[in-house]
Amino acid sequence: MRTNPERRQALIDAAIEVLADEGARGLTFRAVDKRAAVPAGTASNYFANRDDLLNQVGSRFYERLQPSEETMAKVTEGPRTRANITELMKDIVARIEAFRTGYLAMLELRLEATRRPELRAVLTERVREDLDFNVRNHLESGQPGDADTVRLLYLALNWLIVDRMTLPDIFSEEQSMHLIETAVDRLVRD
């Protein structure tokens, strides 16, 4: 296996784009090579097989969605208010919407995980780590609400994001922002 980390990352990013545009059935080494604009056969030098590529795409999605230092400061140093949590939730939705292809690729991976136990294990671990990270940061920061508040916001926002990514005409931008505000208002206890 090749070890050029920049090339590997570019191939994984190309795989995300292929998954978003063509679905899991369209994800081939040839399609990844083409999308990454590298010579044919390059992806096969970096990944043992298609399952290896799928597993690495699952991890890469979360790497690319890491919150900025400014956002993390809003969690740890920002006001302990519903309004701050509302802004943080809007930031999460905005980051995901800005990486639309990544989210669509993740939806494809989740469907693929129903048939691939190894991929299911990778995604389960990664999603659980992300959720635990969010719960831990929320509790340590002293923001209002408890662990279940974070989990319920995760569930509510995920479905809103699915609709925004797949059927964007269901809720307008204004309605989406209102729904985020309402979810925080109803779920976060002072």
Side-chain angles (χ1 to χ4, degrees), residues 8 22 31 41 74 80 125 140 152 181 187:
R8 177 181 296 279
E22 301 175 33
K74 285 182 184 178
R80 275 61 175 156
E125 180 180 336
E140 289 174 1
L152 288 168
E181 292 165 5
L187 292 171

Side-chain angles (χ1 to χ4, degrees), residues 117-155:
E118 185 179 328
L119 179 59
R120 183 177 328 135
V122 167
L123 291 181
T124 298
E125 180 180 336
R126 190 60 186 97
V127 170
R128 186 173 289 129
E129 285 173 8
D130 187 56
L131 191 53
D132 289 347
F133 171 82
N134 288 319
V135 167
R136 186 174 53 255
N137 281 333
H138 182 86
L139 295 176
E140 289 174 1
S141 73
Q143 294 289 340
D146 59 11
D148 283 341
T149 302
V150 177
R151 292 180 188 112
L152 288 168
L153 285 169
Y154 161 83
L155 292 170

Side-chain angles (χ1 to χ4, degrees), residues 10 26 32-33 35 64 68 78 88 93 113 125-126 142 151 177 184:
V32 171
D33 289 340
R35 185 63 60 102
R64 289 187 56 185
S68 67
L88 290 166
V93 172
E125 180 180 336
R126 190 60 186 97
R151 292 180 188 112
M177 294 304 106
V184 171

Side-chain angles (χ1 to χ4, degrees), residues 7-69:
R7 173 69 57 95
R8 177 181 296 279
Q9 216 166 53
L11 291 166
I12 295 170
D13 288 343
I16 288 171
E17 300 300 316
V18 170
L19 276 169
D21 291 344
E22 301 175 33
R25 292 190 187 273
L27 184 68
T28 63
F29 283 159
R30 180 175 291 148
V32 171
D33 289 340
K34 183 177 179 180
R35 185 63 60 102
V38 297
T42 301
S44 64
N45 289 325
Y46 281 83
F47 307 99
N49 51 44
R50 188 170 177 269
D51 286 338
D52 181 28
L53 179 58
L54 287 167
N55 291 341
Q56 293 197 37
V57 166
S59 294
R60 178 73 174 138
F61 169 77
Y62 286 96
E63 289 171 16
R64 289 187 56 185
L65 277 179
Q66 289 300 309
S68 67
E69 288 182 24

Side-chain angles (χ1 to χ4, degrees), residues 55-123:
N55 291 341
Q56 293 197 37
V57 166
S59 294
R60 178 73 174 138
F61 169 77
Y62 286 96
E63 289 171 16
R64 289 187 56 185
L65 277 179
Q66 289 300 309
S68 67
E69 288 182 24
E70 179 184 321
T71 299
M72 287 308 298
K74 285 182 184 178
V75 174
T76 59
E77 301 162 17
R80 275 61 175 156
T81 63
R82 281 189 192 139
N84 189 46
I85 293 173
T86 300
E87 290 308 309
L88 290 166
M89 296 304 101
K90 288 179 180 180
D91 176 76
I92 289 169
V93 172
R95 273 189 287 126
I96 292 171
E97 286 183 345
F99 187 30
R100 183 176 188 273
T101 55
Y103 194 79
L104 294 175
M106 182 53 72
L107 291 176
E108 288 287 339
L109 285 178
R110 283 180 172 227
L111 291 172
E112 209 45 37
T114 65
R115 297 175 286 278
R116 297 175 184 273
E118 185 179 328
L119 179 59
R120 183 177 328 135
V122 167
L123 291 181

